[in-house]
């Protein structure tokens, strides 16, 4: 073998041992995969080759558990939940897999026999590019908890080849390039060549002699399943994330056209199939882009439902009755936001047109099967699809949606006469603009689901009192809250081993990893000097690791003794990264005005901002550019760079978060109140002993309640004030704070380069108008934000006080485990029970 560690590798004898748990046997199994499951030249065994062989060895464990779990579910036939999501932000799998399987130490010893450290091999893995932000990361946390709680549940998604994009920062700002996670292959996924379903697009509806309807013609693609096993923590269960890939068959290849030189025409269907799973959230500014997005959504829904029905029928054969009426008692379908809404008309179609059921029975089954999680109150995120596009692409489903809407309106008129005047806002089909009639997907979800839930108490209240208030009058018991959560395995135990060991030592148990409420036991040690010393040492170690990442990724050197202030999330105006960078600009201006003696009293701070701006979201990309331009000036200014650094962290993803979050001390969750449904990164930061500066928005409200008001830096307008403040702005009643004007003026002066930031700053000016009027209240909240940052500076100088705040943040994070969230879904929405493999 060639490579830096080939000599060590040659000393390990290959021996297949799929269930190995001793280092020597594991090493033999790794060597076996290197030799007999080859993906590289036979003499190569560098770090990359070693990673793939190690991952395949771990996958042996996962396959064994997955097979046992599959057989167990087949035999016991429990009710099962199927989670439909357009995104899963999985992150790297190796550390999580060996950690959940309880074999981290054994694998660390095994790879040493090849001359490698396990951490070095972990670094070879690329993040699976299947998601973008909180929606996808939540789905991944939920799968981890489903497996850990031994619940009969699966996830369904799409196998995106190029993901959203990989972010590259240049002098021009953000540049988008395709993700390369599948350029070689993923060692975790298992193609299921026997799990293939047809998915049709376009075509027309035929009425058969018996009056039934049939969707025919158009183009038909194949959905091929890839399974990614998801192991539970300290359990024998392993569930599946089933990803679909779109395929065309050999029959769809026109050999005559190819031989005639018509190369592109000969493989048109193959090209269209590749488009479906090429990119997450393809640009939808064009009609073609809109059509592709709708295709993606339907492809996920149709393939997944056909798979569920096939599994139901497979098990139904073993049951005594085998009636379709049993379907909702065996299957629960959870829609993760509106993207999988087409599951509703598609399930109706499959039940009526393929299985021969009548409307009433199909509707009863669908209604009792489907539930919907709302993740946003932002109008642009509540999907509305053109009826014209829907009818063209999915003619039968459009017929069904029209019938659902018709029957809903008739029901309101007949049973809720007092609501008749509200029908226009409640109905599914909106034809108020005859030129652009639309399908309101959120309305379709609410009308057709047995349960609708929000994802934080504040968010759920807004849904019930504002967004869906009229529906609450009809179905008062349909709406629930399920505050989001995060898995403590990935987000503390595995990503922050230093702090995890301290917590286990002081609680005298590691059971907190699966019972996070035990963290409250830290409160009684919050003033203990020994714990303070250990806590501070762990945090410093994490900060040094973070500083190395920043140096490697950006070339900027940062001081681990400065306050690490971090905001990492999708770049969006409502999340207000603009408020953050304006605050940093103001801080820079004040530093420039200080004498040398005054600077000595300043709390040194490193401001880090990271996140991706959607490729067509111009103002978000301007914010990315501004952060980088401010950093380029501040970090190279010898008068201030001891006291302030500003760094943009490129290509933010799960693996980057696993370095940033443990090293954070202050985290900014500063969205306009009422606009962030929940947020989950706030939970991750708090769990890792980071103090939050934030508004009363999303889960911030509950985090502040749990960790204590004194351990949270609060500022900003409240959700119930926002509408009035916007009205005041329209009426010319807003008076900007001089500090806000100073920050904007410094940018306009060209202090941070010649780029024209006027269109971005214009969004903060004026009283009304498109793209103006400061819709997100940056100016209104700016003075409160600066005052809160002054309180941060003062608190950080008192190290004892700050460490106590840090401890109490971790101690108050028990509520925010995804285990708690999923247990509530299981009991209160899905009605499923644990089914552990013996």
């Amino acid at each position: 073998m060639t490579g830096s560690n080939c000599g060590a590798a040659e000393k390990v004898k290959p021996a297949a041992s799929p269930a190995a748990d001793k280092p020597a046997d594991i090493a033999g199994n790794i060597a076996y995969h290197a030799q007999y499951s080859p993906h590289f030249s036979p003499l190569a065994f560098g770090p990359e080759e070693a990673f793939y062989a190690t991952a395949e060895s771990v996958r042996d464990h996962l396959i064994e558990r997955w097979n046992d779990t599959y057989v167990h579910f087949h035999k016991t036939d429990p009710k099962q939940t199927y989670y439909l999501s357009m995104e899963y932000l999985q992150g790297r799998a190796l550390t999580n897999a060996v950690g959940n399987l309880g074999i981290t130490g054994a694998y660390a010893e095994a790879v040493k026999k090849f001359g490698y450290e396990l951490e070095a091999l972990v670094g070879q893995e690329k993040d699976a590019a299947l998601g973008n932000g909180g929606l996808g990361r939540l789905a991944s946390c939920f799968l981890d908890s489903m497996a850990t709680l031994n619940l009969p549940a699966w996830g369904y998604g799409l196998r995106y080849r190029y993901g959203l994009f990989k972010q590259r920062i240049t002098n021009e700002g953000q540049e988008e390039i395709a993700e390369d996670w599948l350029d070689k292959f993923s060692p975790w996924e298992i193609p299921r060549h026997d799990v293939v379903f047809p998915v049709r697009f376009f075509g027309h509806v035929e009425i058969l002699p018996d009056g039934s309807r049939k969707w025919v013609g158009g183009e038909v693609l194949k959905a091929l399943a890839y399974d990614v096993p998801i192991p539970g923590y300290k359990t024998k269960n392993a569930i599946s994330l089933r990803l679909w890939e779109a395929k065309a068959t050999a029959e769809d290849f026109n050999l005559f056209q190819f031989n005639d030189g018509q190369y592109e025409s000969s493989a048109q269907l193959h090209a269209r199939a590749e488009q479906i799973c090429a990119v997450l959230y393809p640009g939808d500014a064009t009609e073609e882009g809109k059509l592709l997005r709708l295709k993606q959504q339907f492809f996920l829904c149709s393939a997944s439902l056909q798979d569920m029905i096939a599994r139901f029928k497979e098990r139904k054969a073993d049951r005594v009755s085998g009636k379709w009426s049993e379907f909702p008692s065996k299957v629960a379908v959870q829609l993760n936001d509106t993207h999988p809404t087409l599951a509703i008309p598609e399930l109706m179609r499959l039940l009526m047109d393929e299985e021969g059921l009548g409307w009433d029975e199909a509707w009863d089954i669908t209604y009792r099967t489907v539930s919907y999680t709302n993740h946003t109150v932002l109008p642009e995120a509540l999907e509305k699809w053109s009826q014209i596009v829907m009818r063209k692409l999915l003619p039968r489903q459009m017929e069904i949606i029209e019938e659902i809407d018709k029957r809903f309106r008739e029901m309101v008129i007949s049973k809720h006469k007092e609501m008749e005047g509200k029908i226009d806002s409640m109905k599914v089909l909106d034809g108020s603009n005859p030129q652009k009639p639309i399908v309101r997907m959120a309305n379709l979800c609410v009308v057709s689901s047995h349960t609708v839930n929000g994802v934080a108490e504040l968010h759920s209240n807004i849904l019930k009192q504002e967004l869906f208030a009229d529906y609450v009058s009809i179905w008062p018991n349909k709406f629930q809250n399920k505050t989001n959560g995060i898995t403590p395995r990935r987000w503390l135990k595995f990503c922050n081993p230093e702090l995890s060991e301290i917590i286990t030592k002081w609680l005298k148990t590691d059971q907190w990893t699966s019972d996070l409420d035990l963290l409250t036991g830290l409160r009684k040690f919050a003033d203990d000097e020994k714990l303070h010393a250990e806590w501070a040492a762990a945090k410093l170690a994490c900060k040094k690791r973070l500083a190395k990442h920043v140096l490697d990724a950006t070339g900027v050197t940062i001081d681990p003794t400065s306050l690490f202030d971090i905001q990492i999330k999708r770049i969006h105006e409502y999340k207000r990264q603009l408020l953050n960078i304006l605050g940093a600009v103001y801080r820079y201006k004040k530093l420039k005005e200080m004498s040398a003696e005054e600077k000595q009293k300043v709390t040194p701070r490193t401001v880090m901002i990271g996140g991706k701006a959607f490729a067509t979201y111009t103002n978000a990309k301007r914010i990315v550019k501004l952060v980088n331009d401010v950093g380029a000036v501040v970090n190279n200014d010898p008068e201030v760079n001891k006291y302030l650094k500003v760094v943009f962290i490129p290509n933010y993803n799960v693996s980057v978060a696993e370095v940033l979050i443990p090293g954070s001390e202050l985290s900014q969750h500063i969205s306009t109140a009422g606009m962030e449904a929940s947020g989950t990164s706030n939970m991750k930061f708090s769990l890792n002993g980071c103090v939050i500066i934030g508004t009363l928005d999303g889960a911030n409200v509950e985090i502040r309640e749990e960790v204590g008001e004194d351990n949270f830096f609060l500022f900003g307008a409240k959700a119930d004030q926002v509408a009035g403040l916007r009205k005041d702005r329209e009426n010319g009643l807003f008076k900007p704070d001089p500090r806000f004007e100073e920050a904007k003026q410094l940018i306009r002066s060209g202090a941070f380069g010649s780029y024209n930031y006027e269109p971005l700053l214009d969004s903060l000016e004026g009283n009304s108008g498109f793209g103006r009027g400061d819709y997100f209240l940056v100016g209104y909240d700016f003075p409160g934000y600066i005052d809160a940052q002054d309180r941060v500076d003062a608190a950080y100088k008192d190290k004892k006080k700050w460490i106590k705040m840090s401890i109490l943040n971790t101690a108050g994070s028990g509520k925010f485990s995804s285990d708690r969230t999923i247990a509530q879904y299981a009991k209160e929405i899905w009605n499923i029970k644990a089914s552990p493999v013996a």
Side-chain angles (χ1 to χ4, degrees):
M1 289 185 174
T2 59
S4 58
N5 297 73
C6 58
E10 287 168 354
K11 294 175 185 175
V12 179
K13 186 177 180 182
S17 184
D21 57 6
K22 292 183 174 58
D25 296 335
I26 290 170
N29 199 44
I30 292 170
Y32 177 85
H33 277 289
Q35 191 161 333
Y36 297 108
S37 306
H39 303 284
F40 302 93
S41 301
L43 298 180
F45 201 72
E48 185 181 37
E49 293 85 354
F51 158 69
Y52 280 108
T54 301
E56 290 187 316
S57 172
V58 175
R59 194 181 73 166
D60 290 346
H61 286 265
L62 299 178
I63 289 173
E64 181 178 48
R65 292 184 184 218
W66 189 95
N67 288 340
D68 290 346
T69 306
Y70 187 90
V71 170
H72 172 70
F73 288 169
H74 185 85
K75 285 180 179 177
T76 56
D77 192 24
K79 182 177 183 180
Q80 187 158 340
T81 291
Y82 299 96
Y83 196 82
L84 268 60
S85 180
M86 286 297 287
E87 295 186 43
Y88 293 89
L89 206 57
Q90 290 289 92
R92 291 168 174 161
L94 181 54
T95 301
N96 199 69
V98 294
N100 275 6
L101 294 168
I103 50 178
T104 303
Y107 263 83
E109 286 298 313
V111 299
K112 281 180 181 174
K113 296 179 184 299
F114 300 95
Y116 289 111
E117 295 293 325
L118 184 59
E119 190 175 331
L121 299 190
V122 167
Q124 293 292 316
E125 183 175 359
K126 293 178 178 177
D127 281 35
L130 300 171
N132 171 34
L135 186 79
R137 186 51 240 170
L138 179 77
S140 295
C141 282
F142 278 4
L143 292 182
D144 181 88
S145 288
M146 290 171 191
T148 296
L149 295 174
N150 298 315
L151 292 172
W154 276 25
Y156 282 108
L158 295 183
R159 184 177 180 262
Y160 303 106
R161 181 169 185 84
Y162 301 114
L164 184 74
F165 60 84
K166 184 187 289 187
Q167 183 189 55
R168 181 183 290 161
I169 301 300
T170 69
N171 290 335
E172 304 304 312
Q174 172 182 290
E175 180 185 338
E176 303 88 22
I177 57 176
E179 289 273 14
D180 59 354
W181 77 290
L182 285 177
D183 268 10
K184 290 190 173 73
F185 68 101
S186 168
W188 307 108
E189 59 184 21
I190 304 150
R192 304 292 188 187
H193 294 288
D194 58 328
V195 183
V196 182
F197 296 101
V199 179
R200 187 183 306 273
F201 299 108
F202 305 109
H204 62 278
V205 180
E206 282 187 355
I207 303 175
L208 304 181
D210 62 358
S212 62
R213 306 175 90 82
K214 192 84 172 173
W215 182 22
V216 297
E219 64 183 38
V220 180
L221 300 176
K222 300 293 185 185
L224 169 65
Y226 284 77
D227 282 340
V228 180
I230 310 293
Y233 178 71
K234 291 188 175 180
T235 175
K236 294 180 180 178
N237 284 45
I239 62 172
S240 187
L241 169 56
R242 179 158 282 182
L243 302 171
W244 299 107
E245 181 173 69
K247 294 275 199 184
T249 66
E251 289 181 5
D252 298 316
F253 183 80
N254 191 318
L255 198 58
F256 175 82
Q257 286 184 334
F258 188 86
N259 287 329
D260 192 41
Q262 302 176 55
Y263 303 127
E264 291 184 8
S265 301
S266 67
Q268 275 189 346
L269 203 58
H270 290 77
R272 288 201 284 270
E274 285 186 11
Q275 290 167 6
I276 287 178
C277 294
V279 173
L280 168 65
Y281 301 143
D284 59 355
T286 65
E287 286 305 310
E288 292 81 1
K290 289 182 176 67
L291 202 63
L292 181 55
R293 278 213 192 185
L294 198 58
K295 272 187 168 185
Q296 287 183 327
Q297 294 184 2
F298 181 69
F299 189 80
L300 166 66
C301 294
S302 183
S304 302
L305 286 165
Q306 290 181 71
D307 193 33
M308 293 175 216
I309 287 172
R311 298 183 71 207
F312 173 77
K313 291 165 82 171
E314 180 184 73
R315 296 180 190 175
K316 188 172 76 166
D318 298 331
R319 291 189 213 114
V320 177
S321 63
K323 295 177 182 175
W324 277 105
S325 58
E326 287 185 347
F327 192 81
S329 65
K330 292 297 179 182
V331 174
V333 175
Q334 186 69 41
L335 309 182
N336 191 29
D337 217 355
T338 52
H339 307 125
T341 304
L342 290 169
I344 293 162
E346 176 64 354
L347 180 54
M348 289 289 291
R349 183 192 73 82
L350 290 167
L351 292 172
M352 291 190 298
D353 299 0
E354 303 298 326
E355 303 299 337
L357 276 61
W359 178 278
D360 290 342
E361 188 178 5
W363 176 253
D364 177 67
I365 290 168
T366 299
Y367 189 86
R368 291 193 293 129
T369 298
V370 175
S371 49
Y372 158 58
T373 300
N374 172 279
H375 283 277
T376 184
V377 296
L378 296 180
E380 68 268 23
L382 291 168
E383 291 185 294
K384 299 176 181 69
W385 285 102
S386 160
Q387 291 183 30
I388 297 166
V389 172
M390 185 81 73
R391 189 173 281 106
K392 176 183 177 183
L393 185 69
L394 305 168
R396 180 64 178 126
Q397 289 74 12
M398 189 61 202
E399 285 186 347
I400 292 168
I401 292 169
E402 288 172 332
E403 186 67 18
I404 291 171
D405 184 54
K406 173 173 165 284
R407 291 181 180 230
F408 169 69
R409 288 184 282 109
E410 290 172 349
M411 181 275 289
V412 173
I413 292 168
S414 65
K415 295 185 178 179
H416 300 276
K417 195 74 176 171
E418 75 285 358
M419 299 298 294
E420 194 170 343
K422 303 281 189 179
I423 285 180
D424 280 352
S425 63
M426 298 168 71
K427 63 187 181 182
V428 175
L429 300 178
D430 178 9
S432 56
N433 180 349
Q435 261 61 54
K436 293 183 178 180
I438 57 171
V439 183
R440 298 162 167 161
M441 303 304 265
N443 291 21
L444 179 56
C445 285
V446 174
V447 166
S448 310
S449 302
H450 64 80
T451 305
V452 176
N453 73 280
V455 291
E457 286 178 10
L458 174 65
H459 171 239
S460 296
N461 288 336
I462 290 172
L463 294 185
K464 288 187 281 189
Q465 294 164 14
E466 298 176 27
L467 192 66
F468 298 142
D470 294 334
Y471 297 107
V472 175
S473 302
I474 297 174
W475 296 296
N477 299 319
K478 178 177 284 202
F479 297 86
Q480 297 185 14
N481 175 58
K482 294 288 171 281
T483 296
N484 282 342
I486 57 174
T487 166
R489 273 75 64 181
R490 182 180 288 272
W491 292 113
L492 181 53
K493 185 174 177 62
F494 303 149
C495 75
N496 196 342
E498 295 92 348
L499 194 60
S500 298
E501 287 171 14
I502 291 168
I503 292 169
T504 297
K505 172 186 169 183
W506 283 80
L507 295 180
K508 294 184 169 57
T509 178
D510 67 352
Q511 290 300 308
W512 59 267
T513 313
S514 50
D515 183 2
L516 204 59
D517 286 330
L518 292 176
L519 291 180
T520 56
L522 292 170
R523 285 177 178 152
K524 62 176 176 281
F525 305 118
D527 291 305
D528 192 295
E529 291 183 4
K530 289 182 180 177
L531 176 57
H532 277 223
E534 293 177 18
W535 200 272
K539 181 62 75 174
L540 183 59
C542 292
K543 289 176 74 177
K544 287 179 177 177
R545 187 159 59 239
L546 170 51
K548 183 181 183 305
H549 172 82
V550 169
L551 181 62
D552 292 344
T554 70
V556 178
T557 301
I558 60 176
D559 179 4
T561 66
S562 66
L563 168 60
F564 278 12
D565 168 354
I566 299 177
Q567 185 184 22
I568 41 172
K569 50 184 77 237
R570 183 165 51 92
I571 308 294
H572 197 293
E573 286 168 285
Y574 89 82
K575 294 178 185 286
R576 299 203 295 191
Q577 287 92 348
L578 183 54
L579 175 60
N580 186 345
I581 194 61
L582 283 167
V585 167
Y586 179 75
R587 181 178 290 266
Y588 174 67
K589 183 175 185 293
K590 293 296 108 179
L591 280 165
K592 291 292 283 183
E593 294 168 359
M594 287 181 188
S595 66
E597 292 75 22
E598 288 173 318
K599 287 176 187 169
Q600 293 301 315
K601 299 174 185 175
V602 167
T603 301
R605 185 184 293 228
T606 301
V607 177
M608 290 171 256
I609 298 175
K612 294 179 179 179
F614 195 71
T616 55
Y617 189 173
T618 308
N619 258 4
K621 294 180 79 168
R622 288 180 180 129
I623 292 168
V624 173
K625 169 76 171 153
L626 178 58
V627 174
N628 281 281
D629 284 352
V630 170
V633 171
V634 172
N635 301 342
N636 292 294
D637 187 334
E639 293 180 5
V640 301
N641 61 16
K642 287 182 188 174
Y643 309 100
L644 178 64
K645 290 276 181 79
V646 175
V647 184
F648 187 87
I649 308 293
N651 202 40
Y652 174 59
N653 60 19
V654 175
S655 294
V656 173
E658 288 170 350
V659 179
L660 267 67
I661 291 171
S664 62
E665 293 174 293
L666 179 76
S667 185
Q668 304 206 28
H669 301 272
I670 55 178
S671 49
T672 313
M675 302 199 77
E676 184 74 85
S678 167
T680 51
S681 67
N682 45 6
M683 302 170 186
K684 294 160 194 162
F685 280 103
S686 193
L687 179 63
N688 280 269
C690 178
V691 185
I692 289 175
I693 180 171
T695 51
L696 280 178
D697 197 23
N700 279 2
V701 178
E702 292 160 77
I703 290 173
R704 185 167 173 261
E705 289 171 358
E706 295 295 316
V707 305
E709 294 179 6
D710 293 340
N711 305 304
F712 185 109
F713 293 99
L714 178 68
F715 76 96
K718 295 178 181 176
D720 58 6
Q721 298 175 301
V722 168
L725 290 168
R726 286 179 178 147
K727 196 71 181 171
D728 288 348
R729 181 75 183 235
E730 285 180 25
N731 294 330
L733 300 176
F734 172 69
K735 296 290 185 287
D737 186 281
R739 295 171 291 183
F740 183 55
E741 297 302 296
E742 286 179 45
K744 291 186 295 178
Q745 184 51 41
L746 188 59
I747 296 169
R748 286 191 169 108
S749 74
F752 304 107
S754 59
Y755 182 83
N756 180 19
Y757 283 109
E758 208 56 45
L760 177 62
L761 296 174
D762 266 355
S763 70
L764 306 175
E765 308 297 350
N767 295 327
S768 61
F770 181 75
R772 287 174 63 80
D774 194 10
Y775 184 78
F776 301 101
L777 305 185
V778 175
Y780 179 86
D781 277 348
F782 189 82
Y785 174 72
I786 295 299
D787 293 344
Q789 291 286 16
D790 288 342
R791 298 199 303 275
V792 170
D793 287 336
Y796 193 72
K797 287 175 181 173
D798 184 344
K799 294 301 181 190
K800 185 175 181 181
K801 177 183 178 181
W802 189 272
I803 292 172
K804 181 178 180 179
M805 293 172 74
S806 175
I807 293 167
L808 291 173
N809 264 270
T810 299
S813 294
K815 175 180 178 177
F816 304 106
S817 170
S818 51
D819 295 349
R820 184 266 315 154
T821 313
I822 287 299
Q824 291 178 342
Y825 273 98
K827 181 180 179 182
E828 298 165 16
I829 296 181
W830 303 331
N831 191 27
I832 63 171
K833 293 179 170 62
S835 183
V837 174

